[in-house]
Amino acid sequence: MMTSHEKRILIVDDDPDIANLYKLSLEREGFVVDAFNDPLLVLSNYRVGIYDLLLIDIKMPQMNGFELYHKLRNLGDNSKVCFITAFEEFNKQFRELFPDLKEKACFLRKPIELHYLNRVVKSELGYN
Amino acid sequence: LTRLGEGDELALPITEVIRNQKAVETLFIEMVKAAEQEILLIFPTANSFLREERLGIIHLLRYGAIERSIDIKILTPTDGEVQKIIQDIVEETRKLSKKNFHIRSVGVTYEETTVSTVTIIIVDKKTSLAIEKIDDSKENFIDAIGLATYSNSKPTVSSYVSIFEILWNQTKLYEELRNHDKMQQEFINIAAHELRTPAQSILGYAELAKSDPQYMEKDGQSFLEVIYRNAFRIHKLTKDILDVTRIEGHTLNLDKIRFNLNDLIKSLVYDKQPKLVADSSNNKVEVVYRLLEDREVGDVENNVDTVFVQADRDRIAQVISNLLDNAFKFTHQGLVSIGVSIKENKQGQEGENQNEVVVSIEDSGSGIDPEIFPRLFTKFSSKSFSGTGLGLYISKSIIEAHGGKIWAKNNNEQNKPGATFSFTLPLAAT
């Protein structure tokens, strides 16, 4: 087993079934996972710097995933991020909001197979 | 050169070619100034629009529309600069609630060969001026133009009017087509999102369960519930998307029969009861069926009232069922009541029976979210997690296809919570 238990991941998805699914799958890999369904709740409880990776849904009520990430970055957070969405089109808006991130952004498309999700998360966190 | 102004009506009709560019410019401005009712204008390129803007023509047109109430219609290709000028005029006239300034534009410059390379102006459907564009790169109106043809002869002017009208209507069709394409694309994007989201849970929880028998032992039941719930969501969405496709393709066929609406409502309310009891979140909701005003009917056999309609029974059942489900979804405690009343209208012109039945479903739930209210009956306007956002759009289409109306309101009287959804159907002839 890898030393992944050191790493902490935040999941934000307004669909509770999906947030819980990703949480179960990543916990099984040894990560510590916090899952939220409400982006506003994330913002009000956020502690800068405690997460190694943010896994954020794009389409959510009240605040979309890009806006949430934008605000987290304004708080000074530098965690790695993966956006995950069931949408076809999202790149344009992302490029406009984060012109500096366009090369490095990690995008995942729902539905995603869990073994693939686990692999991408590990590779983003620098595991082989 | 013809003098414009008084006595013009009496002058002999002429069509003449003008070679002097300066004279063309003067005549052009004079014609705009002399207009009394209507100016039709076609520009061949975005540049020609801008040249004439510099010449003051656009300013004169704006003045004519605002101060003299002249109808102005302009057809022009656009670029960013033209778009901005157009936007400003449209804004200004809208603020002044003037409805007589119209511009239709195609996003790109016409290909030189496909549409005119002349500027055409038609004033009051009485005079026309067609000005050749020789060099589109020139800044100045005079440097850019060649010969011009002026006419106040009816056959010539009417021909230009028909050319204008054909292009005008064609541009409108083009705009509609482009909007339709855009909406179609948006529909596909959202539908894809709504189908993939439950697919994620079905695939994911099945993958988890398969990967480790411990999951099945510990969480098997809850996994199955998630899978079932999301499979049902896909099933419902698939049905709804098919309905939307039928509605928009105008292939929603109604199989109209004469039936008693009361019987249908009673059976629907009866069917919903066990589900309500089974769903723990709704066990404090009572359903009441009020028949014709205030008479409460709990017992099927007591009912002798009949409300006959000529309608598609399954489709009407779909609407009522959808409205009841919505009411239950947003009412966790309290009352959902469905009532039927008759609205007597005046006899129609052909003497047919125009009386209507009004079905109202009132709940004591959380009411309609103000953010959603204005687009309640449009596609994908749900804030509810379990909704497809298509139910009310489909219901509206079904009711309107029957010649009825559907509407919603929040029950704000006396601080009564909840919402009421109502629809009408024409009564069947007796």
Side-chain angles (χ1 to χ4, degrees), chain A residues 17 22 86 88 112 114-115, chain B residues 189 196 200 205 207 229-230:
Chain A
D17 289 340
Y22 295 159
E88 290 283 309
I112 186 171
L114 297 178
H115 59 88
Chain B
N189 201 19
R196 282 173 180 148
Q200 173 68 88
Y205 283 93
E207 187 183 342
R229 180 168 63 234
N230 283 281

Side-chain angles (χ1 to χ4, degrees), chain B residues 182-358:
Chain B
K182 217 177 115 192
M183 278 167 59
Q184 200 71 12
Q185 196 51 49
E186 212 173 277
F187 179 75
I188 290 167
N189 201 19
I190 299 176
H193 180 273
E194 298 304 299
L195 286 166
R196 282 173 180 148
T197 299
Q200 173 68 88
S201 286
I202 296 169
L203 289 169
Y205 283 93
E207 187 183 342
L208 267 190
K210 215 169 56 148
S211 68
D212 192 338
Q214 274 194 333
Y215 275 120
M216 275 318 272
E217 275 172 39
K218 200 157 62 74
D219 304 309
Q221 191 57 34
S222 70
F223 279 19
L224 283 178
E225 274 163 27
V226 175
I227 291 172
Y228 178 81
R229 180 168 63 234
N230 283 281
F232 192 81
R233 227 171 117 185
I234 290 191
H235 164 67
K236 184 157 183 344
L237 187 64
T238 313
K239 272 201 309 190
D240 284 356
I241 286 177
L242 280 175
D243 276 349
V244 169
T245 312
R246 285 194 193 101
I247 289 162
E248 304 201 330
H250 306 287
T251 55
L252 182 80
N253 294 322
L254 298 178
D255 182 15
K256 287 190 184 177
I257 54 160
R258 190 182 144 90
F259 67 93
N260 184 356
L261 191 60
N262 280 336
D263 291 343
L264 176 66
I265 295 175
K266 261 180 291 175
S267 73
L268 286 170
V269 170
Y270 186 79
D271 286 349
K272 298 280 176 200
Q273 299 281 9
K275 271 186 216 143
L276 270 179
V277 174
D279 181 354
S280 59
S281 72
N282 269 324
N283 60 6
K284 287 171 185 154
V285 177
E286 196 187 336
V287 193
V288 178
Y289 177 31
R290 284 179 292 111
L291 247 178
L292 291 172
E293 301 300 287
D294 291 308
R295 245 174 304 162
E296 283 190 14
V297 174
D299 186 356
V300 178
E301 279 141 66
N302 268 349
N303 172 35
V304 286
D305 290 306
T306 51
V307 179
F308 277 102
V309 291
Q310 181 80 23
D312 187 318
R313 200 174 189 278
D314 292 343
R315 290 294 181 187
I316 298 302
Q318 183 182 354
V319 172
I320 297 170
S321 182
N322 175 240
L323 295 178
L324 282 174
D325 287 344
N326 280 348
F328 297 147
K329 194 157 65 186
F330 294 100
T331 310
H332 298 297
Q333 191 171 356
L335 197 70
V336 171
S337 81
I338 175 163
V340 176
S341 59
I342 304 295
K343 194 174 151 216
E344 291 193 15
N345 293 330
K346 284 179 198 150
Q347 288 280 304
Q349 279 176 342
E350 284 95 43
E352 81 273 31
N353 187 353
Q354 296 236 314
N355 290 350
E356 291 172 315
V357 54
V358 185

